[in-house]
Amino acid sequence: MIETLGIWIAALLTLCILSFLYKDNPFYKFAEHLFVGVSAAYWAVYSYFNILLPNLIQPLFGQGQFLLIIPLVLGIMMIMRLFPKVGWMSRWPLAFIVGSYSGYHLITYLQSNAVEQVRATLVPFVQIESWKNLFTGPGVITFLNAIAIPVVIVGVITGIIYFFFSKEHKGVFGGLARIGVWFLMIAFGASFGYTVMARISLLIGRMYFLLHNWLHLI
Amino acid sequence: MNIIERFEKIDRRIIFLLVLFAVIIPLLFPIGFEIKVSAPVQKFYDAIEALPPGSMVLVSSEYDPSTMPEVYPMNQALARHCFAKDLKIIGMGLWPQGIPLNQASMEQAAEEYGKEYGVDYVNLGYKAGGIVVISSAAENIPKTFPLDYTGRPIGEFEIMKGVRNFDNIDFIISLSAGDPGVREWIMIAQGRYGKKVACGVTAVSAPAFYPYLNAGQLQGLIGGMKGAAEYETILETSGTASRGMDAQSIAHGLIIFFILFANFFYLLGKRRKK
């Protein structure tokens, strides 16, 4: 019974939200405000019972871990942002977060997101195996595999050239920058294609819910 | 008003309606387009297949109900694959709303394969902190997650006996719809501890992770509902992702048609104005 009621509420709210596609209306506004309110309440309750209570309040006041006064004070200082006169106090915990996070992150981030990516782009410059495959079994796939790494390298270099603004984009340099723009456009196109796929997937998810769970048509 | 001007001023609600039909009709009347398995998904499957029975797989859920249509089918398919291979699953999450979804996936698969909570799988729940949680768990899992998601001490569970840190984890899967998520797992688990990491992500974020796959930092990648459908195809099961692929293909075809159609009339109008 409760499950059926939940499905009906979810279905009606889905229709309320989708009604915005026709035009803005009170049903959409109601669903939107309800969502914002419920989300805020959910996060407030969840944060208190799952983060503040087990990590700060219980250990500090129940087990006497007085070192936790430091994060408590930093947390209170952060809330001072809400009061303009003492808003400057929030800069201290923010500085602490930025500093500690940067220090913690820096090396690992560079290693995983820069060094490894550069290595993977440049090494090996030519994959002997894929060229062998091309000559032994010529075809579109083997050809694409063979030229994959050189194309990536050309794309990276010309892409970087496009973003090099200390020299005017003229002559050979300008030509390379234009090639870089083509690579960027292809990348944006691929990314947009994936975005379309994601949005359609979400629509399919909702329609599947309405047709399967609510109306039992499929 | 000529035909070009009419198309330029077409009511966008007509487009919405056509997209809606393109999604609903294939859902009601499935066509059964062939689903071809891509290399990143095949790599993911092969990586799981290569694990010996009894291996520990850590599945971290970094998604929420808003991305369920894309990520949840992956979660279900992976849970099924792990249990079919007699692998043990330790669930956890860096997003709180992912925990019940991961649990539901594991429970459903456990029922199908006769697996037991605490013996074959466990859910350690959510911990705030993102990358710091991963670092902490890498050093000491029981200290980072002393209780499971229901509040029971993890020492009670047979599956957790002998599990101290990432040395006891054979494979890590991050099912992610944003940050904190896959990138953090790559940075800490793969980069710092050399663990095998694979991911399932939303289609929007998939292009950002292909470089990691090519660099060997990821063992496999499932991207969006399409990726989930491919995984279901390899497993020879039909889930919600496979059922949605007809609608996805028709809707994509329609959008491609819109783009070509709009550009054709745009160029035609431009030429006439000259």
Side-chain angles (χ1 to χ4, degrees):
Chain A
M1 177 64 190
I2 288 173
E3 198 184 332
T4 309
L5 188 69
I7 288 170
W8 271 83
I9 291 170
L12 294 176
L13 287 173
T14 301
L15 294 177
C16 286
I17 291 289
L18 289 175
S19 70
F20 183 77
L21 295 174
Y22 181 69
K23 68 175 188 180
D24 201 357
N25 63 75
F27 296 106
Y28 170 75
K29 283 263 191 303
F30 166 74
E32 186 191 29
H33 286 83
L34 187 70
F35 178 74
V36 172
V38 169
S39 297
Y42 176 86
W43 277 105
V45 172
Y46 198 95
S47 301
Y48 178 76
F49 284 102
N50 291 279
I51 300 171
L52 279 178
L53 199 64
N55 296 319
L56 180 73
I57 296 170
Q58 277 175 351
L60 179 60
F61 300 109
Q63 298 156 18
Q65 294 181 25
F66 294 112
L67 207 60
L68 289 173
I69 287 173
I70 297 168
L72 175 65
V73 171
L74 286 171
I76 292 168
M77 284 168 79
M78 186 76 105
I79 296 170
M80 292 297 121
R81 202 176 180 78
L82 297 171
F83 309 100
K85 279 188 181 172
V86 286
W88 58 269
M89 289 175 80
S90 66
R91 290 181 201 151
W92 285 90
L94 272 177
F96 176 79
I97 292 168
V98 171
S100 57
Y101 205 70
S102 312
Y104 185 75
H105 247 80
L106 197 66
I107 302 297
T108 318
Y109 192 89
L110 276 176
Q111 179 63 33
S112 295
N113 299 292
V115 178
E116 274 299 313
Q117 298 303 313
V118 172
R119 186 196 60 76
T121 304
L122 300 175
V123 182
F125 190 79
V126 173
Q127 258 187 336
I128 306 290
E129 195 61 35
S130 55
W131 283 95
K132 269 185 193 167
N133 291 340
L134 175 63
F135 288 117
T136 51
V140 178
I141 302 293
T142 49
F143 173 72
L144 290 175
N145 282 337
I147 64 162
I149 292 175
V151 167
V152 167
I153 292 168
V154 171
V156 169
I157 292 170
T158 55
I160 292 170
I161 287 173
Y162 173 71
F163 286 107
F164 189 82
F165 300 118
S166 302
K167 185 173 161 56
E168 202 176 345
H169 289 184
K170 280 165 66 178
V172 176
F173 195 77
L176 290 171
R178 269 193 294 280
I179 295 171
V181 170
W182 274 97
F183 274 100
L184 288 174
M185 290 301 155
I186 292 167
F188 293 150
S191 191
F192 178 66
Y194 266 104
T195 305
V196 169
M197 186 162 94
R199 301 303 173 232
I200 295 290
S201 299
L202 298 185
L203 179 62
I204 292 169
R206 279 295 83 194
M207 289 303 121
Y208 186 82
F209 167 76
L210 292 176
L211 297 172
H212 178 73
N213 300 59
W214 186 43
L215 299 173
H216 305 291
L217 290 175
I218 53 174
Chain B
M1 192 186 281
N2 62 31
I3 191 161
I4 296 170
E5 285 168 338
R6 273 187 194 176
F7 277 124
E8 277 177 351
K9 287 176 183 161
I10 194 168
D11 191 334
R12 61 182 187 153
R13 285 174 293 196
I14 294 173
I15 295 170
F16 295 155
L17 207 61
L18 290 173
V19 172
L20 191 69
F21 285 141
V23 168
I24 289 178
I25 293 170
L27 283 175
L28 289 171
F29 309 103
I31 302 159
F33 286 134
E34 189 188 354
I35 299 167
K36 286 193 174 169
V37 179
S38 60
V41 175
Q42 186 66 52
K43 265 184 91 171
F44 199 130
Y45 175 83
D46 293 342
I48 301 252
E49 278 292 297
L51 295 170
S55 299
M56 288 285 181
V57 178
L58 193 148
V59 179
S60 185
S61 51
E62 283 89 49
Y63 69 102
D64 59 12
S66 69
T67 49
M68 253 180 94
E70 292 191 273
V71 189
Y72 188 64
M74 301 175 196
N75 208 337
Q76 288 177 310
L78 287 165
R80 283 195 184 108
H81 190 191
C82 288
F83 287 149
K85 283 277 302 166
D86 271 335
L87 306 176
K88 294 187 185 295
I89 304 177
I90 297 176
M92 61 165 279
L94 304 176
W95 288 29
Q97 288 160 312
I99 302 303
L101 301 175
N102 196 6
Q103 180 64 21
S105 302
M106 292 192 289
E107 273 176 10
Q108 194 184 4
E111 210 176 292
E112 289 169 21
Y113 290 91
K115 302 292 179 184
E116 195 185 329
Y117 186 79
V119 179
D120 302 295
Y121 70 105
V122 71
N123 193 342
L124 303 181
Y126 161 77
K127 200 85 181 173
I131 196 167
V132 181
V133 175
I134 302 173
S135 294
S136 176
E139 294 293 330
N140 195 331
I141 293 174
K143 198 177 164 191
T144 312
F145 292 96
L147 309 170
D148 79 338
Y149 84 111
T150 59
R152 287 167 66 188
I154 64 164
E156 282 182 11
F157 303 116
E158 193 186 315
I159 186 175
M160 293 308 292
K161 281 176 187 153
V163 175
R164 292 290 308 159
N165 51 35
F166 276 8
D167 287 342
N168 310 111
I169 303 292
D170 301 293
F171 198 79
I172 293 169
I173 298 168
S174 170
L175 298 171
S176 164
D179 291 327
V182 182
R183 202 167 271 118
E184 281 73 14
W185 281 106
I186 293 170
M187 282 162 60
I188 302 297
Q190 193 280 328
R192 198 178 286 177
Y193 292 91
K195 302 309 294 180
K196 288 180 179 170
V197 177
C199 72
V201 293
T202 55
V204 172
S205 52
F209 293 106
Y210 278 101
Y212 295 98
L213 183 74
N214 292 338
Q217 291 166 285
L218 285 173
Q219 299 294 312
L221 189 155
I222 306 175
M225 186 186 264
K226 168 81 167 68
E230 290 173 22
Y231 211 92
E232 287 173 355
T233 304
I234 307 180
L235 295 180
E236 295 176 351
T237 57
S238 177
T240 51
S242 304
R243 277 177 227 155
M245 284 323 289
D246 287 341
Q248 186 106 51
S249 303
I250 299 284
H252 284 188
L254 186 69
I255 287 164
I256 291 168
F257 171 73
F258 284 152
I259 292 169
L260 296 176
F261 189 74
N263 275 282
F264 173 74
F265 278 99
Y266 170 74
L267 292 172
L268 207 66
K270 217 172 154 185
R271 187 177 278 185
R272 285 202 179 171
K273 275 173 197 166
K274 276 181 186 174

